Structure formats: structure tokens, C-alpha cells
Amino acid sequence: MEVSVQTQSIDVYFKHIFGYIISNPIVLLFCLASFGISALLIPVIIKVCSKYKLYDTTGGRKIHSGNIPRLGGIGFVLAYSIVSLVYAFSVNEAFATIIPFVAAGFIIFVFGLLDDIFNLRAILKLAVQIVASLVIVFSGFYFRSIGAILLPDAVGITITILWIIGIINAFNLIDGMDGLCGGISCMIVFTLSVIYSLSATHAATMCLILACALIGFLLYNKPKAKIFMGDGGSQFLGFMIATLPLYRTTENFEYNKFFIMIVLVSIPLMDCIAAIWRRTREHRSIMSADRAHLHHKLLYLGLTVKQALSLVLLLQFCLCIISCIAMYLRGYNAVVLMLTALLFMTIIFSMIHFFYRKRLAEKGDKDF
């Protein structure tokens, strides 16, 4: 009976989001425009990168070979920004809630793009991330509660800033394999659009616009990728995924928001935490690169890029479904479900790490 109810709740969500799109032709138009601009820009960017030899580096933690353009983020960021701004100016009540996200996101992207080209210092990147976070929190978007615990404004703002910075860097680190960061991000923002379509229509539209822009990019980023998104693209996605949930919506989502977001981003977040622990344990800078991220381990265990990508995206899909189910549960039940999901992901990560270390020992390798 419980499984039947949960299945019905998922069915209701997806019927609602597609009903929302179909019943709002202007939203469908904006989504198509976002997809079209992104898909049309990427081939142009590939040609420009080839002309000026703006390729991603090889070796180190990189798993690709050959000259692959690395500025694909320009395509989906411009598509999202242009379409979102047009939407903001065409729908009066949407302007105040959309502009801070587009402006702060663009700040993150511009400096990420400069980092792709000039390799900026880590302290400068952190400063930019803090500034962009402040734009959001001082526009009134920050965590006000965690479950039933109401947070003082100073605490909520501090947690929000740390959250944004952490998620930006987590998505930057997970961007190491064809289609991985873009695929995970597309699933997350689409899930947010499903949740938001129940009440916060402007937020739902923003998520759909971003998802469609990413689909346009993924046409060229799926294995074998013709272009990468670069640090500008991955940092922008981390920023948007960290901040878009800060819109206020239904009481049930507000109660479960923090836990739902932890579940949705658990793959890049756990990978980031593991990287920090690994580098600290080995007395290396946490900013140093290595080849022991989740996707590296899966490849070392013998999976192909397509197989590794399919496995990670399947896990992400399960997390998205769990998050939608949690929206229909109340309080304690939702928290238990999400903690169970996090425990499951911890076990999955631990098993992959165990078999990875076992194979390293068998082959006499160090972290490859």
C-alpha cells in the first residue's frame, strides 16, 4: 500500500510539471528558446576554441586525450542568462526574484571562465564565490530553518554562504568525465522544477530554462565529448544548484528543504568530502589534483566511460525520485527516508572505494 501511494505521488508530480508546461505556452516557448540558443552556440564555440587553441589540458587527473575545447559553459550559461532575463522583463512580478540569481551566477561564470584561460589564484576564486553568495543572501534568499529548527538570521546566512561555496567546488570537482557534471545537474534542476511547479512558478520556470540549456550542451558533451564545460560552466552549475532551492515555497518543502538538497547533491558532495579527507590525510593541499575521484575509481575498476556515466546517472535518478517522494511525506517520515538514502549512498561509495583499493593492491599501483 505504501509503495502504491509513493508511486502515485511520483505520477502526480510528473503529470503536474508537464501539465504546467503545456498549460503555459510562454514557459514552453522560453524552454525551447533556451535549448535552441545553447545547441546553436556550442558548434560556434567549438570552432572558436579550435581556432585559438583553447583546449582542455591533458595528463594529471584528466582522463581524455586529444584536443578538446573547454569553454562549453559559455553556450548554456548565455542561453540560460538571456532567456531568464527576457522572462524576468516580460513577467513583472518575476523580476525581483530572478535578477539576483542571474547576476550572481554570471559573476561566478565570468571568473570561472577567466580561471579556464588564465588559471586564477585560489584565494581570488574564493573571494568571488563569497561576493556572489552575499548577493543572494542579502537579496533575502537563505536557509531560515533546518527541519523544525528555526535559525537566527546570522546563523542562516552563515550556513547558506558555506553551503553555496561548498556546492560550487563540489560540482567543479565532479566535472571530470564526459556528460557527468552536466547530466547530474540536469537531473537535479529538473527535479527542482517538478517540486517548484506545485507553488513557486517563477522558480520552476528558471529551473526548466536551465535544464533545457543543459540539454543543448549535452548533445555535444555526451561520450565521446566534442567539448567540455570548463571551470566556468561547472562552477556556475554548482552555484545555481546551491541557490535555486533558496526560493520559498510550500510548507512541506521548507521543512524538508535542507535534507532534500543534501540528498540531491550527495554524489558530488560525498566525492568532494572524500577528496578533502584524502588530501588532508596525505598532507597535500586540498586544492591539489589527483585521480581518485568517483569516476576515476569506476574507470580503474574496468568500466568504460559510458558504463561509469550510466551507473552514476542511475544513482542520481534514484536520488531524484526519493526527493520527490519525500515531498509527500511529513516531518519524521521524510527525514528517515532521506537519512536512509544518504546511508545507502555512503555504502555505495564505501564499496566502490573498497574494491578500488583492493585492485590497487593486487596490481601494486598507487592511486593512478
Side-chain angles (χ1 to χ4, degrees):
M1 176 66 74
E2 185 177 351
V3 173
S4 176
V5 171
Q6 292 174 352
T7 303
Q8 290 175 9
S9 70
I10 296 170
D11 186 54
V12 168
Y13 266 117
F14 282 93
K15 283 183 178 177
H16 196 284
I17 185 64
F18 288 115
Y20 170 71
I21 296 171
I22 294 171
S23 63
N24 292 275
I26 189 171
V27 172
L28 179 59
L29 180 63
F30 283 122
C31 289
L32 291 174
S34 181
F35 168 78
I37 293 172
S38 178
L40 290 173
L41 279 176
I42 298 300
V44 176
I45 296 168
I46 292 174
K47 290 182 179 179
V48 171
C49 288
S50 298
K51 180 178 179 180
Y52 294 100
K53 303 190 184 306
L54 299 172
Y55 300 123
D56 195 23
T57 56
T58 56
R61 70 185 183 96
K62 306 293 184 177
I63 63 175
H64 71 279
S65 58
N67 295 324
I68 310 293
R70 66 174 304 179
L71 303 183
I74 295 174
F76 65 79
V77 172
L78 285 182
Y80 168 79
S81 300
I82 292 169
V83 176
S84 293
L85 287 173
V86 173
Y87 176 77
F89 281 101
S90 62
V91 181
N92 292 331
E93 64 270 22
F95 185 85
T97 58
I98 289 178
I99 294 302
F101 292 88
V102 176
F106 203 73
I107 291 172
I108 290 291
F109 169 69
V110 168
F111 279 88
L113 184 62
L114 292 174
D115 186 37
D116 281 322
I117 299 172
F118 301 110
N119 195 21
L120 302 179
R121 294 178 61 188
I123 189 66
L124 176 58
K125 291 186 284 186
L126 177 61
V128 171
Q129 292 169 9
I130 292 173
V131 169
S133 302
L134 291 174
V135 171
I136 295 298
V137 297
F138 287 123
S139 296
F141 301 99
Y142 55 89
F143 290 113
R144 288 178 166 80
S145 64
I146 296 179
I149 303 173
L150 295 177
L151 302 173
D153 286 347
V155 175
I157 288 173
T158 301
I159 290 175
T160 303
I161 292 173
L162 293 175
W163 161 262
I164 294 173
I165 293 171
I167 300 304
I168 289 173
N169 289 287
F171 275 79
N172 186 222
L173 287 176
I174 204 70
D175 182 33
M177 187 172 70
D178 299 351
L180 184 57
C181 184
I184 289 175
S185 300
C186 191
M187 286 186 175
I188 293 174
V189 294
F190 183 76
T191 302
L192 289 173
S193 74
V194 171
I195 293 172
Y196 276 140
S197 67
L198 298 173
S199 59
T201 55
H202 299 319
T205 302
M206 286 186 68
C207 292
L208 286 170
I209 290 171
L210 180 54
C212 290
L214 277 171
I215 293 171
F217 166 74
L218 286 169
L219 293 176
Y220 302 90
N221 184 242
K222 66 182 186 296
K224 186 176 182 180
K226 297 178 181 178
I227 191 169
F228 299 144
M229 67 175 65
D231 288 348
S234 60
Q235 290 183 35
F236 172 83
L237 289 177
F239 177 81
M240 297 309 298
I241 288 169
T243 57
L244 284 173
L246 299 176
Y247 277 103
R248 294 188 64 78
T249 179
T250 63
E251 180 180 346
N252 202 36
F253 183 51
E254 289 303 311
Y255 185 93
N256 296 316
K257 176 186 288 184
F258 189 80
F259 301 108
I260 286 175
M261 286 313 303
I262 291 291
V263 169
L264 279 175
V265 302
S266 58
I267 292 175
L269 187 60
M270 287 184 176
D271 186 63
C272 181
I273 293 171
I276 293 173
W277 167 249
R278 181 171 62 248
R279 294 164 188 175
T280 302
R281 182 190 63 208
E282 296 171 358
H283 306 291
R284 294 188 288 121
S285 167
I286 61 173
M287 303 303 294
S288 61
D290 58 34
R291 290 171 65 87
H293 289 285
L294 175 63
H295 51 280
H296 292 127
K297 292 175 181 177
L298 292 174
L299 295 175
Y300 189 75
L301 288 172
L303 275 65
T304 66
V305 170
K306 288 185 179 180
Q307 290 169 341
L309 177 63
S310 298
L311 175 60
V312 176
L313 292 185
L314 176 61
L315 290 172
Q316 184 63 54
F317 178 76
C318 293
L319 295 172
C320 292
I321 295 298
I322 289 170
S323 298
C324 287
I325 293 173
M327 280 293 296
Y328 263 83
L329 300 177
R330 296 286 178 178
Y332 176 79
N333 290 333
V335 173
V336 169
L337 175 63
M338 289 181 285
L339 289 177
T340 302
L342 290 175
L343 176 61
F344 172 75
M345 288 304 303
T346 302
I347 293 172
I348 293 293
F349 265 76
S350 299
M351 288 177 60
I352 292 171
H353 179 71
F354 171 79
F355 288 115
Y356 166 73
R357 297 297 298 183
K358 183 179 179 181
R359 184 157 186 177
L360 280 177
E362 289 173 350
K363 298 181 69 173
D365 293 337
K366 295 182 180 180
D367 284 355
F368 84 124

